[in-house]
Amino acid sequence: MLLTTGQAAEELGCAITTFRRFIHAGLLPGLSQRGVRTMIPLDVVQALSKRCGTTARHRCRS
């Protein structure tokens, strides 16, 4: 399953701008482009959540 940046940020409980910083920092492998959208695999978001020590709806800080 692929998520948009907004969906992925919501899943992590962080701001979309924070999530975009993760993308620009190269922290997220497996990204794909669909038109103007960046799509992130759900398993990558879940791995980042574990790495940050967060669960859905909790704030993730880099």
Side-chain angles (χ1 to χ4, degrees), residues 34-49:
R34 294 226 176 131
V36 296
R37 291 180 177 228
T38 300
M39 305 301 289
I40 304 95
L42 178 60
D43 59 332
V44 170
V45 175
Q46 291 170 338
L48 181 60
S49 177

Side-chain angles (χ1 to χ4, degrees), residues 5-36:
T5 52
Q7 292 168 327
E10 184 177 333
E11 182 69 24
L12 288 173
C14 65
I16 192 168
T17 53
T18 300
F19 195 79
R20 287 183 182 145
R21 286 186 196 112
F22 293 156
I23 293 170
H24 293 293
L27 296 175
L28 306 170
L31 301 179
S32 63
Q33 293 292 123
R34 294 226 176 131
V36 296

